[in-house]
Amino acid sequence: KFKEHSRHLYLLGLILGGALFIGQVTQVVTATMSHPLELRRPWLLGLSFGAAIVATVFQIGGWRAIMAQLGSRLSWRASWPAYTIPFVARYIPGVIWGYLGRSHLLQTRYGVSPTVTNLSALIEAGGFVAASSFVAASAAIVTGDALLFGLGAAGCSLAFLGVWVARWLARHGAFWDRWLSLFGGA
């Protein structure tokens, strides 16, 4: 029964995401046609597109490494659609659709537990917070921007606190299992 419901939610998410994406593309095309676009350096557009592709490849590689450490080794062929499904969901209010789609795809096609898939997303998000905070704090040191440094340092502190809390929870899992069992199971 769960698989049937999740398949319907997955399909609904893809339909909604596709419709909203087509709507946004139509708006961009209409706005571009009414206001002619002038590219002064078109090669920069190509360069930035290439940089975005390279960054995406690195992100997928990092996510694959996280999944491998969690016990689910995925090929590059399996990783591309699984990693990019949440990109479609950016057009649907609420981020959860993309992650539900990723969990559904990996569970139905590759037998990966949704727990592992969702845990990998949390680890990845923590890594992004830590990396971007470190970059912000480093840039602030170079530029002398105190506000940016404070935000970067706060983000780094938040990331380290998250790691500490995760390690504490892992060591005290029995306590949390008993507590969660009071609310209907783990």
Side-chain angles (χ1 to χ4, degrees):
K1 193 82 173 166
F2 172 75
K3 278 188 172 182
E4 184 179 327
H5 289 300
S6 66
R7 185 175 299 134
H8 292 301
L9 287 173
Y10 175 76
L11 182 61
L12 177 65
L14 284 178
I15 290 169
L16 284 173
L20 290 168
F21 175 73
I22 289 170
Q24 287 186 347
V25 167
T26 304
Q27 288 176 352
V28 168
V29 168
T30 303
T32 303
M33 300 276 258
S34 64
H35 304 293
L37 182 64
E38 181 184 330
L39 291 177
R40 295 185 183 168
R41 296 182 212 142
W43 62 273
L44 282 177
L45 184 62
L47 184 65
S48 54
F49 180 73
I53 295 295
V54 168
T56 302
V57 169
F58 278 110
Q59 288 174 338
I60 293 171
W63 178 73
R64 284 183 70 227
I66 292 168
M67 290 295 287
Q69 288 297 313
L70 294 173
S72 295
R73 295 195 181 279
L74 297 171
S75 68
W76 278 98
R77 186 173 188 193
S79 298
W80 276 96
Y83 191 82
T84 56
I85 279 177
F87 292 6
V88 175
R90 292 176 182 169
Y91 304 100
I92 303 172
V95 180
I96 192 69
W97 290 99
Y99 293 102
L100 285 174
R102 179 187 285 173
S103 292
H104 176 77
L105 174 84
L106 290 175
Q107 183 180 28
T108 57
R109 290 194 186 166
Y110 304 103
V112 176
S113 163
T115 303
V116 170
T117 303
N118 294 331
L119 179 58
S120 75
L122 289 174
I123 293 169
E124 179 188 24
F128 284 145
V129 168
S132 59
S133 298
F134 179 76
V135 168
S138 300
I141 291 171
V142 172
T143 62
D145 187 334
L147 177 62
L148 184 61
F149 180 78
L151 291 171
C156 286
S157 299
L158 181 65
F160 286 118
L161 177 64
V163 170
W164 181 83
V165 167
R167 289 187 74 195
W168 187 87
L169 288 173
R171 288 185 182 141
H172 298 88
F175 168 78
W176 293 108
D177 289 343
R178 285 191 308 272
W179 187 76
L180 288 171
S181 68
L182 294 174
F183 295 98

